[in-house]
Amino acid sequence: MYVTDKMLPALPAPSNSNGPIHWLKNNLFSSPINAVLTLLALYFLYILIPPAINWAIIDADWFAETREGCSREGACWAFINNRFGQTIYGFYPPEAQWRVNTAFLALVLLCIPLFIQSFTKKGWLGAFILLIFPFIAYVFIHGGSFGLEIIGTDKWGGLMLTLIISIIGITLALPLGIILALGRRSEMPIVKSVSVIFIEFWRGVPLITILFMSSVMLPLFLPEGSDFDKLARAMIGIILFQAAYVAEVVRGGLQAIPKGQYEAAVAMGLTYWKSMFLVILPQALKLVIPGLVNTFIALFKDTTLVLIIGLFDLLGMVENVLGSDSKWLGFHTEGLVYTAFVFWAFCFAMSRYSMSLERKLHTGH
Amino acid sequence: MSKANTKAAMDDYIIRMINLNKWYGNFHVLKDINLDVKQGERIVVCGPSGSGKSTLIRCINHLEEHQKGQIIIEGEELTGDIKHLEKVRTNVGMCFQHFNLFPHLSIMDNLTLAPIWVRKTPKAEAEADAMKYLERVKIPDQADKYPGQLSGGQQQRVAIARSLCMNPKVMLFDEPTSALDPEMISEVLDVMVELAEEGGMTMICVTHEMGFAKQVADRVIFMDAGQIIEENVPEEFFNNPQSERTQLFLSQIIH
Amino acid sequence: MSTQQQGLTPGKPAIWNDPHYRALFFQILLIIGLGAFLYIIVNNTLSNMESRGISTGFAFLSERAGFDILQKLIPYSADSTYGRTFIVGLLNTILITVLGIVLATVLGFIVGIARLSKNWLIAKIATVYIEIFRNIPLLIQIFFWYFVVLRAMPRAKESLSFGEMFYLNVRGMNTPYPVPGEGFDFTMIALAIAVIAAFIVRSWAKKRQQATGQQFPIFWTGLGLIIGLPLIVFLLSGSPLTWDMPVFKGFNFRGGMSIIPELLALLIALSIYTAAFIAEIVRSGILAVSKGQTEAALSLGLQPNQNLRLVVIPQAMRVIIPPMTSQYLNLAKNSSLATAIGYPDLVAVFMGTTLNQTGQAVEIIAMVMAVYLTISLTISLFMNWYNAKMSLVER
């Protein structure tokens, strides 16, 4: 029999079980093997990081007119600086670049309300951005109407082209992918088979073969004499390719919706398309937004492949500038590091966003 | 609370906790716990959530480490020593709130895994023992099924049988019925009662099931905010709680 | 009587409202639409090809190729047929895929497990590795290894050497090449016997454990057999293995085996890139096994390595293998980026050079896609079989 009414105070942890020394002991040196690993890791970082920082920042030259202006000790960022415009816009004439800027700025501004909690018309805004805005932007950038000079797609390049290909790719792949996902879950055998064959085909072959197919075989498919814009050819291949991946992601979402939702919609008297559009798809798409963002990130990385068929995305532009301009021969490393960094920055930011989205949506469900 | 340190006195006790203190980081979760358990005793630990009761029993088989104080099991102090730890864990069995059966193994394999790999028992003998315990928990026909095919109550009974297969001297229960649907609680409690009364097993149970405590416990311990507030035999504990905190807690759970 | 019967069978709606017929009608429309579409395309293609003077059919496969290939695993020359070109390219693709899968898996497991290490520094380094190499396009990584790292290698004359046996230079890597002598067959036979013996020992030891409970070090015994037995036979038969060492004479290395830098760059880039994804998969797999499983195992007295072997890893592998085979498939498809740096894989020599020379785009692209589709389908089938076999039995 024991009783006490004296509540003991909460004491701080004993000094040898908390605090920096204890943390070091536990986390870095907890066993002989760990100690050795820690020392090896520290050594490895020591031989890697200081020279890299030296090369990239401390000894680097940021501004120069020609390659002589760059000493060879550090990185020569001057050449990137000099050709920065080209890496962003490709061959798009500088005086018309305001059109590109406007289009992208408009896109960013349009997307902002999507992040505001209290904005209620997100569905409509999203549909507008995905389905209507690309056409407006295309007309604006390409020109030919409203007195805007035509600037052909062969002049488009650099980061602008990378973004255009990825964004148009995903926006047009999305509706097609949704239809394919619905088709794959359909009970009509022909519809199901056609969807399955389509999806498995486009997912089973490498993107390079699709790009080749687009640029070489597509002209053969069309009636004699019709010429086809190179970028458009590549885009068709990319859109069909992406649609298959989007279809699989959306299918996962459709599978995750409890059967009761389908049954409730039918019980209310909604037709197939109405129940899909009003009940099922909104839930399914919300579930797979992280998956769709991941698909977009993959597409963004894959756009680099278009340089193989002669389109000049960011990587292609940098390679082209290096190769063609004799003023800047020999700075391949700087070019690749710059390109890698730009891609990394975009992809890392997007993947962080996707992870935070996943956490947010997970708790909501 | 006798603190006699003579060897004879210590031999009576199968588990002793002396001035046990534990911190999670800077959070003082167990404060000066003193508890002695004799062989064959049945102890029920109760208290509000966050009081540290689960942490307490998890310290006994070293699933949680303590920073200050001593835990002495069968006369030997529990430190991080691996050899001693293995011996302790074969003699102390534990049942978890979420059963933790191995889903990729059949029920029979779940039960015979430890005897075969730890006690090096031949397979036939291990299986015979396992069947005995399955019969004791009243589900011998499920031996070839998989955990995913069993109900919650059946899984928990299998978990108890699994611990028993190692012939432990002490059984620890960490809220064994809290995750069960109401209609399955009594089948598990029946097994635990039989274990205590027929088997004479030393048991330390963290539970909210006060009916079980009244029926089986030798002592009931109430914990709050990391320390033991009150400890008594069940009749006195439930009918005549001394501390205000105990009274408050009992009024909240008995309605 | 007939009115009663009429009440028993459910009435049928009009044909145009019956969902079954509507579905049928819709599908027939779909088939007709698709068929028409395909017909138009095929027609256009044939007439376009005719007007451009491109021949059709697969006869080109027996024509002379007229170009040599940088790396060939079977005999090949400019006089070989296009059909042989296809095989050489295919073998090169398979080579890099298999090597890449092995390297990526090993590296991926190491990094994945490192990420879970209690050692904070190691875990952080692994995280940084994953976040860097996952987010940079593969093509950039390939270019980096090829144009920046390997081009920076010294000339053949001043190669970086490792122990006088391995030489790294701007033309690739030169390694020793094993030349089996007379009597080497016995060593090979001994190896085969050792492998069989290892399996027999394993069987015997398992039975013994079931009967008596005693445990037997199966792994070490097996390893000892597989290494020891052939080694003894090898030494007893006079060590009949010589190494053709690469020796620098004149302007280049003679002898030994030379590995082209294209293969090196592609292999390193592919492995490092895919390993970053595999590391995440391994980490998720191990984390997917709930902590309670380990707690239960340890509470029963199992040692940590027994817990890993019997409880954690079997459950983790179920979660790891499906996405990992996806990554293997991605690696196989990504190997086609070889075209960008001139590694002669299937896409480069067949869909590249051969297509340029013959112009028979349809047949060539179809053949190449068929190869990749076969690889994809095989891996998919394996995955379905594996998933069905391994799925946890539930009610």
Side-chain angles (χ1 to χ4, degrees), chain C residues 171-228:
Chain C
R171 294 213 207 131
M173 189 153 103
N174 294 290
T175 69
Y177 191 71
V179 177
E182 208 180 295
F184 189 71
D185 301 338
F186 292 119
T187 310
M188 288 281 109
I189 296 177
L191 181 63
I193 293 182
V195 169
I196 297 179
F199 276 103
I200 294 181
V201 164
R202 185 166 172 266
S203 232
W204 166 84
K206 273 195 158 27
K207 289 211 180 71
R208 179 165 167 260
Q209 184 187 21
Q210 284 182 1
T212 69
Q214 290 171 295
Q215 290 165 22
F216 189 80
I218 300 178
F219 178 70
W220 293 111
T221 317
L223 197 63
L225 266 177
I226 292 180
I227 294 184

Side-chain angles (χ1 to χ4, degrees), chain A residues 190 203 220 222 245 301, chain C residues 27 44 48 119 134 333 376:
Chain A
I190 305 281
R203 267 171 30 118
L220 294 176
L222 299 166
Y245 286 88
K301 290 188 291 181
Chain C
Q27 291 176 79
N44 279 335
N48 276 327
N119 186 324
R134 265 203 318 184
K333 290 190 288 180
S376 301

Side-chain angles (χ1 to χ4, degrees), chain B residues 58 61 63 86 89 92 96 100-104 116-118 120-123 148-151 162 166, chain C residues 209-213 215 292-293 295-296 298-303 306 309-311 314-315 318 392-393 395:
Chain B
R58 285 158 66 92
N61 69 352
L63 285 180
E86 279 161 21
R89 286 182 175 153
V92 175
F96 299 86
N100 287 336
L101 291 180
F102 304 131
H104 60 298
I116 289 179
W117 289 96
V118 181
K120 304 193 182 12
T121 320
K123 186 166 169 185
Q149 294 171 296
L150 267 54
S151 72
R162 181 175 66 172
M166 290 296 283
Chain C
Q209 184 187 21
Q210 284 182 1
T212 69
Q215 290 165 22
Q293 293 286 302
E295 287 182 349
L298 292 177
S299 300
L300 286 169
L302 286 167
Q303 294 173 4
Q306 286 173 323
R309 195 160 53 94
L310 300 166
V311 176
Q315 294 186 60
R318 280 179 163 79
L392 295 173
V393 184
R395 29 165 80 204

Side-chain angles (χ1 to χ4, degrees), chain A residues 23 26-30 33-35 37-39 41-42 44-45 187-191 194 200-210 212-213 216-217 219-225 241 245 297 300-302 304-305 307-308 315 319 332-333 336-337 339-341 343-345 347-348 351-352 355, chain C residues 22-24 26-28 30-31 34 40-42 44-49 51-52 54 117-122 125 127 131-140 143-144 147-148 273 277 329-330 332-334 336-340 347 351-352 355 361-362 365-366 368-370 372-373 376-377 380:
Chain A
W23 181 89
N26 241 10
N27 287 329
L28 295 180
F29 298 101
S30 60
I33 305 181
N34 262 334
L37 281 176
T38 304
L39 290 172
L42 285 171
F44 169 73
L45 289 174
E187 277 161 10
M188 297 189 266
I190 305 281
V191 173
V194 168
E200 291 305 321
F201 173 77
W202 292 98
R203 267 171 30 118
V205 292
L207 182 56
I208 276 199
T209 55
I210 294 175
F212 264 90
M213 189 174 85
V216 171
M217 272 168 73
L220 294 176
F221 289 164
L222 299 166
E224 185 83 41
F241 175 75
Y245 286 88
I297 297 175
F300 190 72
K301 290 188 291 181
D302 281 341
T304 49
L305 268 67
L307 74 82
I308 298 184
L315 180 63
E319 291 283 313
H332 214 149
T333 318
L336 282 177
V337 170
T339 318
F341 178 73
F343 272 103
W344 180 87
C347 292
F348 183 70
S351 73
R352 285 281 138 179
M355 286 201 281
Chain C
R22 283 172 84 129
L24 194 62
F26 179 70
Q27 291 176 79
I28 294 179
L30 187 64
I31 297 181
L34 278 176
I40 295 178
I41 288 191
V42 169
N44 279 335
T45 311
L46 286 174
S47 68
N48 276 327
M49 281 169 73
S51 61
R52 293 182 201 195
I54 306 173
S117 164
K118 278 206 316 188
N119 186 324
W120 180 89
L121 193 58
I122 300 279
I125 292 182
T127 310
E131 289 303 328
I132 288 184
F133 291 105
R134 265 203 318 184
N135 286 315
I136 297 181
L138 178 56
L139 195 52
I140 296 183
F143 279 173
F144 183 78
F147 290 117
V148 175
Y273 180 73
F277 291 90
L329 183 55
N330 282 342
K333 290 190 288 180
N334 283 334
S336 58
L337 289 178
T339 325
V347 170
M351 221 169 77
L355 194 153
V362 178
I365 294 184
V368 171
M369 285 189 166
Y372 283 103
L373 280 173
S376 301
L377 274 170
S380 284

Side-chain angles (χ1 to χ4, degrees), chain C residues 254-272:
Chain C
R254 305 250 176 268
M257 186 167 67
S258 88
I259 304 176
I260 53 177
E262 287 81 5
L263 174 59
L264 282 175
L266 190 59
L267 185 61
I268 296 176
L270 266 177
S271 309
I272 292 184

Side-chain angles (χ1 to χ4, degrees), chain B residues 58-232:
Chain B
R58 285 158 66 92
C59 282
I60 298 179
N61 69 352
H62 211 69
L63 285 180
E64 304 281 355
E65 268 180 47
H66 57 281
Q67 283 83 26
K68 220 169 130 196
Q70 294 177 309
I71 300 181
I72 300 174
I73 301 186
E74 288 191 283
E76 277 178 66
E77 185 181 346
L78 191 64
T79 57
D81 183 342
I82 309 181
K83 281 293 160 219
H84 179 220
L85 205 51
E86 279 161 21
K87 191 170 102 154
V88 164
R89 286 182 175 153
T90 53
N91 285 335
V92 175
M94 182 151 183
C95 277
F96 299 86
Q97 185 178 354
H98 295 289
F99 338 130
N100 287 336
L101 291 180
F102 304 131
H104 60 298
L105 300 175
S106 72
I107 301 298
M108 179 56 74
D109 288 335
N110 260 277
L111 264 58
T112 56
L113 183 72
I116 289 179
W117 289 96
V118 181
R119 294 211 196 273
K120 304 193 182 12
T121 320
K123 186 166 169 185
E125 194 184 317
E127 287 189 345
D129 280 344
M131 277 312 284
K132 264 198 352 238
Y133 286 113
L134 278 180
E135 275 158 16
R136 200 160 153 197
V137 301
K138 306 201 181 34
I139 37 175
D141 45 316
Q142 309 285 358
D144 290 321
K145 296 244 175 78
Y146 281 79
Q149 294 171 296
L150 267 54
S151 72
Q154 289 171 322
Q155 288 189 49
Q156 190 62 293
R157 287 187 275 155
V158 169
I160 296 177
R162 181 175 66 172
S163 299
L164 290 175
C165 282
M166 290 296 283
N167 297 318
K169 301 205 177 82
V170 180
M171 281 286 277
L172 306 172
F173 291 88
D174 187 358
E175 302 208 42
T177 55
S178 301
L180 294 177
D181 289 335
E183 66 269 17
M184 298 195 241
I185 293 182
S186 58
E187 67 194 50
V188 174
L189 287 180
D190 286 342
V191 166
M192 288 166 69
V193 166
E194 188 261 353
L195 201 58
E197 290 177 353
E198 323 257 322
M201 173 71 76
T202 315
M203 288 162 67
I204 306 180
C205 284
V206 173
T207 182
H208 294 301
E209 297 293 327
M210 296 299 124
F212 171 77
K214 283 185 196 161
Q215 192 179 353
V216 148
D218 293 321
R219 274 189 283 165
V220 181
I221 295 180
F222 173 70
M223 274 182 76
D224 194 3
Q227 63 182 94
I228 295 181
I229 304 289
E230 187 165 341
E231 179 192 325
N232 215 336

